[in-house]
């Protein structure tokens, strides 16, 4: 893929810096992928902003995330994981450092009940305007739908991982749910291109792109051609929205930044 003139907001990637605490997940620890590694890997992709997403192997550590945001600069924001006992002052401190969302990992085994998740998601939104991001399988969405509809704002990673057999994902999209076109090599959606196009038609603000770098545990890692795949799926007239504007809106950047 040739370098692109189109600006890209990478709405989903991970930084793995062994200088900060890492927690094995079922015995797994990813290889190092520092902020400098990320900058080098995406240098030819037109990435000028993005969202650093905390992974299961980082627990509730914030030191790596604050350091990564300082290194990457003002075009980048953070998506963190927090204990529900965190203080309002800590949420406010993290917001000042560039954190804009809290993540719930329901795909690798939820450690929080729906009522507690809803209460916490509402609390961080009230304190700092944060939205919620869910790593969840589309097959579980029917049981989560009513909770998700009550959240102030939320997103789902990796096109929901599997086919939207129940139609719940699209129903939620029509109601405002954001969906990340990320991690093609880790999902088992039968036709990701058709799903991306359908999501974009259902809600023009809903689809956002992310590299999912460094593709930890993915059967097939991110390839530069994935950007072309997303653009082709939604069409040239919609590419700028999906690759840039929708994510900037979601992460609350102003039009003048």
């Amino acid at each position: 893929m040739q370098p692109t003139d189109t600006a890209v907001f990478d709405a989903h990637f991970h930084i793995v810096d062994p200088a900060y605490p890492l927690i094995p997940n079922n015995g797994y620890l990813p290889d190092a992928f520092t902020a400098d590694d990320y900058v080098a890997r995406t240098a030819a992709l037109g990435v000028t902003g993005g969202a650093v997403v905390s992974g299961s192997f980082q627990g509730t550590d914030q030191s790596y995330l604050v350091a990564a945001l300082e290194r990457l600069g003002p075009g980048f924001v953070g998506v963190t994981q927090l204990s529900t006992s965190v203080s309002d002052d800590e949420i406010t401190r993290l917001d000042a450092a560039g954190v804009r969302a809290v993540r719930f990992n329901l795909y690798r085994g939820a450690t929080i009940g729906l009522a507690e998740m809803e209460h916490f998601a509402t609390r961080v939104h009230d304190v700092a305007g944060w939205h919620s991001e869910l790593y969840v399988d589309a097959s579980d969405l029917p049981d989560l739908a009513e909770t998700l509809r009550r959240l102030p704002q939320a997103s789902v990673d990796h096109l929901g991982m599997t086919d939207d057999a129940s139609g719940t994902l699209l129903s939620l999209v029509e109601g405002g749910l954001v969906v990340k076109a990320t991690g093609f090599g880790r999902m088992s959606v039968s036709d990701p291109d058709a799903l991306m196009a359908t999501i974009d038609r259902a809600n023009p603000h809903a689809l956002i792109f992310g590299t999912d770098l460094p593709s930890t545990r993915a059967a097939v890692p991110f390839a530069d051609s994935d950007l072309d795949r997303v653009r082709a799926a939604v069409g040239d007239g919609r590419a700028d929205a999906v690759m840039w504007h929708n994510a900037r809106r979601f992460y609350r950047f102003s039009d003048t930044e």
Side-chain angles (χ1 to χ4, degrees):
M1 174 180 169
Q2 296 299 315
T4 177
D5 293 329
T6 304
V8 173
F9 189 99
D10 182 357
H12 192 101
F13 67 93
H14 305 284
I15 297 299
V16 185
D17 191 335
Y20 299 93
L22 293 170
I23 304 168
N25 185 299
N26 295 323
Y28 172 81
L29 273 180
D31 294 333
F33 187 72
T34 66
D36 287 338
D37 293 332
Y38 175 79
V39 170
R41 174 65 181 84
T42 59
L45 300 184
V47 173
T48 57
V52 183
V53 177
S54 292
S56 59
F57 45 85
Q58 282 152 331
T60 59
D61 174 59
Q62 308 302 320
S63 57
Y64 97 92
L65 184 55
V66 171
L69 293 176
E70 289 176 350
R71 166 65 183 89
L72 293 169
F76 291 82
V77 295
V79 179
T80 192
Q81 299 172 145
L82 288 170
S83 166
T84 57
S85 63
V86 66
S87 69
D88 289 357
D89 286 346
E90 175 68 356
I91 294 169
T92 302
R93 181 187 76 84
L94 292 172
D95 184 70
V99 175
R100 294 293 179 267
V102 64
R103 190 185 196 211
F104 300 101
N105 188 335
L106 307 183
Y107 186 74
R108 299 195 184 279
T111 58
I112 187 171
L114 290 186
E116 187 179 13
M117 183 182 77
E118 180 179 354
H119 180 268
F120 189 52
T122 302
R123 179 177 161 227
V124 298
H125 183 270
D126 290 346
V127 171
W130 292 0
H131 64 259
S132 301
E133 304 199 356
L134 283 79
Y135 186 14
V136 62
D137 194 290
S139 64
D140 293 325
L141 288 177
D143 293 333
L144 298 169
E146 292 309 311
T147 298
L148 293 182
R149 288 189 177 99
R150 290 192 297 267
L151 297 186
Q153 179 67 73
S155 68
V156 166
D157 297 342
H158 312 313
L159 295 179
M161 294 298 292
T162 60
D163 285 328
D164 180 28
S166 69
T168 306
L169 178 64
L170 281 181
S171 175
L172 291 167
V173 163
E174 291 169 351
L177 182 74
V178 169
V179 179
K180 294 187 175 186
T182 59
F184 297 113
R186 71 171 69 253
M187 66 177 70
S188 58
V189 175
S190 57
D191 192 342
D193 305 307
L195 180 57
M196 285 188 282
T198 301
I199 290 169
D200 189 54
R201 286 194 299 269
N203 181 342
H205 300 300
L207 193 66
I208 61 177
F209 166 78
T211 63
D212 192 38
L213 285 168
S215 305
T216 57
R217 286 192 272 207
V220 181
F222 167 78
D224 292 4
S225 59
D226 288 347
L227 280 81
D228 295 326
R229 180 177 189 174
V230 175
R231 292 189 179 104
V234 300
D236 291 341
R238 293 290 305 150
D240 283 349
V242 172
M243 307 301 290
W244 177 256
H245 295 292
N246 286 354
R248 294 268 301 180
R249 178 178 182 264
F250 189 50
Y251 288 103
R252 297 185 289 119
F253 284 93
S254 73
D255 291 340
T256 59
E257 288 180 286

